[in-house]
Amino acid sequence: MKYMVVMTMKFSSAWLAMPREQRNRFNETRLGPILGRYQERVRLRFFDAEAFRADVSDFVLFEFEDPKDYYFLMEELRDTELFTQDWITVKDLFLGIEGGYREFEKEMQHE
């Protein structure tokens, strides 16, 4: 089964006050290696939303087949300055299973 998590978030004013070069360097040196370790198992898509919502600045789509991979990725991200320095606040999470009802119906036919 494929899982999808939609994570809405808001970046802090401290993050936004940093020069873009510093933010890009952080993304490349701290986040890049972490995301690279999971890129075969957790697919991510980033979206900017600050122009369209007041309470959310961005959202991310995480797609994965094993929830453990997503969980381990989140544990690693939580150890970075994004969370330890409160540069980001997760506003909400939505989890869904692609075609979950089909899997349910398939399992029920074999019982």
Side-chain angles (χ1 to χ4, degrees), residues 42-91:
V42 181
R43 289 159 300 281
L44 289 94
R45 295 176 63 194
F46 294 88
F47 294 86
D48 294 307
E50 64 271 357
F52 309 103
R53 288 195 57 154
D55 60 335
V56 170
S57 63
D58 301 78
F59 65 91
V60 182
L61 303 178
F62 299 85
E63 183 180 356
F64 50 90
E65 294 182 15
D66 186 345
K68 182 178 79 174
D69 294 326
Y70 165 75
Y71 181 80
F72 283 11
L73 169 60
M74 290 309 302
E75 283 293 323
E76 287 204 48
L77 292 175
R78 286 170 44 94
D79 290 339
T80 69
E81 294 85 346
L82 280 179
F83 290 91
T84 62
Q85 299 296 314
D86 291 328
W87 289 345
I88 188 174
T89 300
V90 175
K91 303 298 281 184

